[in-house]
Amino acid sequence: MIWTELRSGMATALEAAGLLTSERLARLELAIPREPSHGDWTTNLAMAIAKDAKRPPRLLAEELAKAYPLGGSIGAVEVAGPGFLNFRYTDAFVASLPARILGEGESFGRSEHGAGEAILVEYVSANPTGPMNVVSARAAAVGSTLVRLLDAAGYAAAGEFYVNDAGNQVDLLGASVAARFAQRLGLEREVPEGGYQGQYLHALAAQLPEADGRAALDAPEGAKWFRDQVLSRMVARQKQDLADYGVTFERWFLESTLHQGGAVDETLQTLTGRGMTYRSRGPLGVSEAAQGRVNAEEGAAAGAAEATWLKTFEYGDDMDRVVVRADGRPTYLLPDIAYHRDKRARGFRRAINLWGPDHHAYVATLSAALQACGLERDFLQVLIVQQVNLLRDGVEVKMSKRAGEFVTLRDLIDEVGPDCAKFFFLMRATNSHLDFDMTLARAQKDENPAYYVQYAHARVASVLRKGAEAGLAPEAGEAHAVTHLAEAHLVRKLSTFPEIVRGAAINREPHRIPGYLIETAAEFHRFYHACQIVGEDPVLSRHRLRLCAATQRVLRNGLSLMGVSAPDRLEREAEIPA
RNA sequence: GCGCCUGUAGCUCAGGUGGACAGAGCAACGGAUUUCUAAUCCGUCGGCCGGAGGUUCGAGUCCUCCCAGGCGCACCA
């Protein structure tokens, strides 16, 4: 990997200048300049450490350039501007890169950066109380891509879905279905206060086996039967929808197992053993900002009795939090802590959670609670997946679960298709709000970047077919020097893929991948127009076919990271006369 | 009131831990196909990067304040 080569080369140069320290090397930033005349790679290190090294940046840069050990893939180092160091590939490297990419195949782009560190990415984790919405669709696209990115960057990554199958909401859900089931039998039974009204529950109630359901209606423990029935069916449906979307998880973790297995109780004991809990009518640790809120609630019925509090304030939360209510029932916080202890106990060094924007305030609380429990401060990393502003024909679609009026993941799959939906979600930075116009994504296919990239891939396939007809295989033949500027630009773009993947993984920014792929596709399309690929000269033809095949490999590897298909043919459907 | 996210071209958005002239797609306009898929390519038009200060060799990027939009501040999950 070029990044590694440059880094060790710069270490050598620093040492020669008598400036090598790990701090200075840590400040090394290697970037790929936008402007080709600035080289294939560039660094501002000389400017960054000039003050510290007490030398003028420009002179320092010249010294480092002189001491840089050329060879390998780098053929020249130039000093430019106020002290940039610009690196250029050797012609031999550029000539041989396509063959190397083909040789590496699926592995091109992978690195050992993570050194096998285990990371668990928890995402979607939608409540099993209704169909999944577009935010879940966005989270699913981002989360699954993040797992693949981390894996490609050398981490041992796994994806997990946390099923909230315990607590009031689920009981309410069961009771709501029980009511629908009773109504189906012609009995009088209302959906309970605060229960679920969605149409999907009618359908679900209709699927329940009638004899068992009848028995459960009369049985004392019957509510449990309905709850378990609806849970297993809702989870199965979530699994199916996500699978159809192309997203699968290493594990579906049931919250109920934490309660049943004693992990929740054990967590409370651990916290208490660490001196992190206390009994009180109100929080003892409170920030000034939160004090007003606490005062406002004083005297409320809920706060009158003595509860068990956790000292999250000590670890940066706004105030201490209740973990066990006065009546002995744990709050949601306790099983959440237990769940994350479980993640750590399974050997994961880091937990990355993708949450919706409505949970951002909870980040500080959970993070503090985990530290109170003894977990590493950097164990939990939360990425907020911002909301999706859904449009149809440019008009906002108001989403209301209660009114049953919302667009589901299933609708997206059916109306837009998994490839386009995922590509669109992944194009945007995860933590920024995004507009998603279903009409645009579906109807104006020509404007969809997903097709742009897929088309480049299919176009290569077409060219390779053409080459095969002429008896030319891209794998054969000697390395060939670049003969056209468009080729050089394309090779240069392909060479940066591993660095793009690495950067996307360590910064948890999947949107860098589609951005890169769009640029790569653009370089390919330009090359395609500028150069005839299969021509009279078999040596040149093979060389260009090899470049095509390498491009296809990079596009396929990138699309595969995104969970988007890479078709060998992409043809516009024939217009069907009305 | 406090906190989080956002504010860059007409629209949707990129702009690695500050760096070399602010980019892409769409929209608008004008071109390119006797040749490997025109779902393509080339060109033109379009920006006081929300506003005001500050930090420094250098700020779209960092700090402070203000403005605007979204979201959140439970012994609900």
Side-chain angles (χ1 to χ4, degrees):
Chain A
M1 196 167 157
I2 298 146
W3 187 85
T4 321
E5 181 187 328
L6 285 165
R7 187 182 159 86
S8 77
M10 284 307 293
T12 306
L14 282 170
E15 189 164 26
L19 292 170
L20 181 62
T21 64
S22 55
E23 289 77 25
R24 292 202 183 104
L25 193 58
R27 295 189 64 176
L28 174 68
E29 282 178 50
L30 290 159
I32 299 150
R34 246 197 313 249
E35 172 60 48
S37 69
H38 294 154
D40 297 311
W41 285 78
T42 185
T43 181
N44 64 349
L45 186 69
M47 291 181 285
I49 66 171
K51 192 174 283 181
D52 164 55
K54 295 186 176 120
R55 295 187 210 181
R58 178 87 197 188
L59 285 179
L60 181 56
E62 276 161 15
E63 193 172 349
L64 290 173
K66 207 169 291 174
Y68 184 88
L70 294 176
S73 52
I74 301 302
V77 186
E78 297 148 16
V79 177
F84 291 101
L85 284 171
N86 295 340
F87 303 89
R88 281 179 202 284
Y89 294 141
T90 61
D91 292 344
F93 172 78
V94 172
S96 66
L97 186 69
R100 263 187 47 196
I101 291 173
L102 290 183
E104 290 190 36
E106 287 180 9
S107 305
F108 184 69
R110 299 184 64 89
S111 66
E112 303 301 319
H113 186 271
E117 185 177 280
I119 300 186
L120 184 66
V121 183
E122 181 211 322
Y123 59 102
V124 184
S125 299
N127 282 330
T129 51
M132 285 174 289
N133 58 24
V134 282
V135 177
S136 289
R138 185 179 186 182
V142 172
S144 58
T145 298
L146 199 52
V147 170
R148 285 184 291 263
L149 275 173
L150 290 167
D151 177 71
Y155 295 87
E160 189 157 293
F161 188 118
Y162 183 61
V163 182
N164 291 108
D165 64 340
N168 299 334
Q169 298 305 313
V170 188
D171 291 339
L172 261 176
L173 179 70
S176 303
V177 170
R180 292 303 182 203
F181 181 80
Q183 289 167 7
R184 173 185 146 208
L185 298 182
L187 303 171
E188 282 284 325
R189 170 103 62 122
E190 289 302 311
V191 172
E193 180 81 25
Y196 294 84
Q197 304 281 355
Q199 282 298 315
Y200 56 93
L201 292 186
H202 287 97
L204 205 152
Q207 288 165 12
L208 295 177
E210 191 169 329
D212 293 346
R214 265 183 203 283
L217 279 180
D218 301 327
E221 294 282 292
K224 229 169 150 184
W225 183 86
F226 278 102
R227 187 197 63 194
D228 292 345
Q229 283 289 318
V230 66
L231 263 176
S232 66
R233 283 162 200 269
M234 292 300 288
V235 170
R237 187 168 149 187
Q238 287 182 322
K239 256 183 211 178
Q240 186 61 52
D241 285 351
L242 284 163
D244 291 345
Y245 188 51
V247 174
T248 55
F249 294 81
E250 270 69 32
R251 182 166 174 184
W252 290 64
F253 191 104
L254 302 182
E255 181 192 348
S256 56
T257 60
L258 292 168
H259 297 275
Q260 289 154 12
V264 174
D265 293 337
E266 193 191 314
T267 295
L268 182 61
Q269 284 164 23
T270 301
L271 287 167
T272 303
R274 295 175 63 89
M276 287 296 148
T277 62
Y278 58 89
R279 301 279 296 171
S280 167
R281 289 179 177 224
L284 301 184
V286 189
S287 72
E288 278 182 43
Q291 188 63 53
R293 225 164 48 232
V294 172
N295 293 342
E297 280 165 24
E298 205 169 23
E306 205 170 59
T308 304
W309 294 75
L310 179 64
K311 297 179 183 174
T312 52
F313 179 63
E314 283 185 22
Y315 293 93
D317 195 8
D318 258 5
M319 57 183 277
D320 292 341
R321 306 284 170 173
V322 171
V323 283
V324 182
R325 301 177 179 93
D327 63 10
R329 289 153 48 234
T331 63
Y332 59 90
L333 180 56
L334 198 55
D336 274 359
I337 302 169
Y339 177 40
H340 286 82
R341 284 183 76 213
D342 184 273
K343 289 180 181 177
R344 189 70 185 89
R346 278 186 275 156
F348 291 104
R349 176 58 186 82
R350 280 167 190 281
I352 298 177
N353 292 4
L354 270 56
W355 289 353
D358 50 338
H359 286 72
H360 71 79
Y362 185 48
V363 176
T365 299
L366 184 59
S367 176
L370 297 184
Q371 288 174 62
C373 211
L375 295 184
E376 295 90 344
R377 179 193 263 285
D378 64 354
F379 176 68
L380 177 69
Q381 181 181 9
V382 177
L383 302 182
I384 298 297
V385 181
Q386 275 295 346
Q387 65 189 92
V388 177
N389 197 18
L390 200 67
L391 309 170
R392 261 203 172 102
D393 300 318
V395 180
E396 185 176 354
V397 181
K398 291 283 179 198
M399 305 266 276
S400 160
K401 238 180 196 178
R402 210 149 280 282
E405 173 58 42
F406 57 93
V407 177
T408 64
L409 169 62
R410 172 56 58 184
D411 296 334
L412 269 187
I413 295 170
D414 294 343
E415 289 189 37
V416 179
D419 279 351
C420 284
K422 283 189 274 195
F423 202 101
F424 206 96
F425 286 135
L426 289 168
M427 269 200 308
R428 269 62 184 185
T430 306
N431 71 338
S432 73
H433 307 233
L434 81 80
D435 283 358
F436 189 103
D437 193 321
M438 306 238 334
T439 318
L440 224 63
R442 180 183 44 193
Q444 301 187 316
K445 291 184 169 181
D446 300 12
E447 297 156 20
N448 196 315
Y451 287 93
Y452 183 79
V453 174
Q454 286 184 324
Y455 178 56
H457 182 273
R459 207 173 209 188
V460 172
S462 168
V463 173
L464 293 181
R465 286 193 291 269
K466 184 81 178 179
E469 282 171 23
L472 298 169
E475 292 79 10
E478 299 289 307
H480 191 292
V482 161
T483 58
H484 193 284
L485 198 59
E487 293 176 5
H489 287 159
L490 181 54
V491 174
R492 181 171 174 271
K493 182 56 80 177
L494 298 181
S495 74
T496 62
F497 182 60
E499 171 58 14
I500 299 293
V501 173
R502 181 182 149 277
I506 63 179
N507 292 294
R508 287 84 163 104
E509 292 187 349
H511 74 273
R512 295 186 191 191
I513 301 299
Y516 168 81
L517 292 180
I518 290 167
E519 288 169 10
T520 304
E523 292 292 5
F524 173 74
H525 287 309
R526 272 192 282 272
F527 158 67
Y528 177 92
H529 274 266
C531 303
Q532 185 174 12
I533 296 157
V534 181
E536 298 297 316
D537 180 352
V539 177
L540 180 62
S541 298
R542 263 198 291 266
H543 155 68
R544 287 185 171 162
L545 281 169
R546 198 154 48 230
L547 181 52
C548 286
T551 303
Q552 188 184 43
R553 169 47 69 190
V554 169
L555 292 176
R556 191 185 303 163
N557 288 3
L559 288 170
S560 152
L561 283 170
M562 298 170 66
V564 174
S565 67
D568 280 342
R569 288 177 197 276
L570 196 64
E571 309 209 32
R572 190 190 288 281
E573 288 170 26
E575 297 268 345
I576 300 160

